[in-house]
Amino acid sequence: MADELWARLLGEAWAALGGGGRGTELQVTGVQGWLPSHLPVEDTAIACAGAALLAAAELQAQRGGPVARTARLDRGHVATAFRSEAYLRLNGVSAGAGFASLSRFWPTRDGWVRTHGNYAWHREALLRALGIGEDPDQVAAAIAGRAAHEVEDLVVGAGGIAAAVRTEAQWRAEPAGQVVAAARLVEGGRLGDAPPRRRAAGPLPGAAPRAVMPPSAVLPAAGIRVLDLTRVIAGPVATRYLAALGADVLRLDPPNRPEVPLHPYDGLLGKRSALLDLATDAARLDELLSAADVLVHGYRPHALDRFGLTPGALAERHPGLVVVSLSAWGSTGPWGGRRGFDSIVQAASGIAVAESADGDRPGAMPCQLLDHGTGYLCAAAALRGLADQAVAGGTQVRELSLARTAHWLLGSAAAGLAPASGGRAGGAADWLTTLDSAEGAVTVVRPPGQLDGRELAWPSPLARYGGDRPAWR
């Protein structure tokens, strides 16, 4: 195992999370080759999911639950989970495309640019910046006559999302890239002097009282309350995995910003879902935070400051909370407040060039690794934060970004660490399950991982988007 790439990457991730010696052994099964790439995508995916699974085992033992001797991941299951949105079906039919027609690469006068228009307000900003209508041919013509960086500046200045395609060397030479390179994979630490919170291992909802509860009724995060202010993929991946590990996850969404049709299913697995206007119901938000153990938020840095969600304000008003923040570019530097998504970070950081099939047109990884991988790292950061808080107290703050995960991935490739190769066996159907929902049968990918042979599972039925009250059970 020590010579395998995923093991080396797992060691790096575990060190970044502040973990010490591991009492649980991670075993990886299955053949290689599920996520073919020029970069070590498959092994990085295993390292990220493995870090979350090991952090769960560590927390379970610390809380007095069963000590897991082994954790297990299957390569095929991990690869399928990292493409979960592609396999989602509602009553046997796809729930929607992953990318809208204006979310793509466009040739420019001097290269390429990537735009993002999945959400209506981002699409409108793109069109407003270019001064044209929604016809893709008009968009192509408007972009073709401009330089890539000019398009990037125009669209970002209008409140939209775009990135000129850069090589890795070009990105690292720019101030924004240098700030990302200087950051740690997981930033953060302890704020304040809140006493440790003792969170004993708890039963699953509906389980027998703890005195008569068998070990199989305990999950690592059972009884932990997680307030989820995330959208799209990365943040929801983190919080849905915490839900699979037993946490009570309550997701809040703004009532005036509807989700893309695909994400209310794939992003709500294991959770409850409520709508809340943070601007008009700050008291309810404060009440929810007062009873929460973990806050995970994925809004761009400083966007939520006016709601009292800065680390300092949270440490003062809700001492002892574990706070995990996720962004595209990190919270500092010239791009610290910029919007972004996985595909945009791939374009700017050099990944799109590295994945080019012909050396000309930009390419993409076989999965949205930055989203999914950072999501599992966020779940691991939350679990490690809970473990640290129980020992050292304080308000435990962790910060991760898609761009820093991209830097880690590219650094592994630059170090000569070869990606996995081989032939896959079996198919994605091996890892699918069907849940009930108000809209019908929803086919999804099962949560990856076993602890001492015990498979993780999603609670059923699947919640309806916005269908719950903004309150804890």
Side-chain angles (χ1 to χ4, degrees):
M1 182 188 81
D3 294 328
E4 294 206 48
L5 174 53
W6 67 260
R8 294 176 63 180
L9 294 171
L10 175 61
E12 294 173 6
W14 192 250
L17 290 160
R22 302 197 298 262
T24 303
E25 176 193 0
L26 179 65
Q27 300 173 351
V28 175
T29 61
V31 298
Q32 299 177 338
W34 284 81
L35 296 173
S37 170
H38 297 297
L39 300 169
V41 169
E42 186 171 306
D43 288 283
T44 303
I46 292 168
C48 293
L53 197 58
L54 291 178
E58 176 191 61
L59 182 65
Q60 177 172 277
Q62 185 196 63
R63 299 178 70 197
V67 177
R69 300 301 180 188
T70 61
R72 182 175 291 113
L73 288 171
D74 183 277
R75 284 182 176 269
H77 195 172
V78 171
T80 304
F82 272 59
R83 300 185 69 246
S84 61
E85 61 276 8
Y87 298 107
L88 189 140
R89 297 291 184 271
L90 175 60
N91 295 316
V93 178
S94 173
F99 288 99
S101 62
L102 299 186
S103 297
R104 63 167 93 166
F105 291 109
W106 307 87
T108 68
R109 190 177 66 213
D110 61 351
W112 295 84
V113 70
R114 176 93 193 201
T115 58
H116 199 283
N118 284 13
Y119 289 100
W121 46 96
H122 294 152
R123 182 175 66 251
E124 291 162 4
L126 169 65
L127 300 175
R128 186 169 60 250
L130 298 175
I132 55 171
E134 200 166 333
D135 186 330
D137 290 337
Q138 294 182 18
V139 175
I143 289 177
R146 293 181 165 96
H149 283 79
E150 179 188 357
V151 176
E152 176 182 285
D153 291 342
L154 277 173
V155 175
V156 171
I161 301 175
V165 173
R166 297 159 169 84
T167 65
E168 182 184 358
Q170 289 170 335
W171 171 242
R172 289 182 181 237
E174 295 185 13
Q178 292 166 1
V179 169
V180 169
R184 294 174 293 172
L185 183 60
V186 182
E187 293 279 6
R190 176 179 180 269
L191 293 180
D193 56 359
R197 296 185 185 183
R198 304 300 180 187
R199 304 172 177 89
L204 295 172
R210 180 160 168 71
V212 295
M213 180 177 59
S216 61
V218 180
L219 280 172
I224 298 296
R225 287 175 167 174
V226 178
L227 191 63
D228 178 4
L229 301 181
T230 71
R231 311 197 89 190
V232 196
I233 297 177
V237 163
T239 48
R240 79 185 186 191
Y241 203 62
L242 294 174
L245 291 165
D248 177 9
V249 180
L250 175 62
R251 172 167 157 172
L252 301 180
D253 281 277
N256 61 340
R257 294 287 196 181
E259 258 290 20
V260 174
L262 175 70
H263 296 314
Y265 301 101
D266 201 48
L268 286 182
L269 292 167
K271 313 174 190 179
R272 290 177 297 123
S273 169
L275 302 180
L276 186 72
D277 188 334
L278 304 186
T280 60
D281 205 348
R284 177 60 60 88
L285 174 64
D286 201 60
E287 178 184 322
L288 291 170
L289 286 168
S290 293
D293 297 293
V294 178
L295 167 66
V296 183
H297 69 85
Y299 288 78
R300 64 190 174 93
H302 313 302
L304 299 179
D305 288 3
R306 66 188 186 278
F307 303 119
L309 296 177
T310 64
L314 289 166
E316 181 179 346
R317 294 180 61 85
H318 307 287
L321 193 65
V322 174
V323 182
V324 179
S325 65
L326 164 71
S327 65
W329 311 103
S331 60
T332 60
W335 286 27
R338 185 172 294 203
R339 300 171 177 87
F341 294 98
D342 182 304
S343 60
I344 299 297
V345 177
Q346 286 193 47
S349 66
I351 290 175
V353 172
E355 291 288 5
S356 173
D358 59 10
D360 177 25
R361 183 179 181 86
M365 292 185 286
C367 65
Q368 294 193 67
L369 176 75
L370 306 183
D371 266 335
H372 286 270
T374 310
Y376 282 97
L377 290 177
C378 283
L383 296 163
R384 287 285 304 116
L386 287 164
D388 287 346
Q389 206 285 331
V391 174
T395 299
Q396 297 289 333
V397 178
R398 305 291 184 268
E399 179 183 325
L400 300 91
S401 73
L402 305 186
R404 191 57 185 77
T405 302
H407 179 83
W408 180 45
L409 172 70
L410 288 163
S412 299
L417 303 181
S421 61
R424 55 184 274 183
D430 297 338
W431 318 115
L432 302 182
T433 188
T434 299
L435 305 178
D436 294 328
S437 80
E439 290 79 21
V442 182
T443 301
V444 299
V445 181
R446 301 200 317 266
Q450 299 177 12
L451 290 174
D452 278 344
R454 182 184 180 191
E455 297 270 3
L456 300 178
W458 305 120
S460 187
L462 184 64
R464 181 170 59 85
Y465 180 76
D468 295 292
R469 293 178 55 247
W472 296 114
R473 286 192 177 100

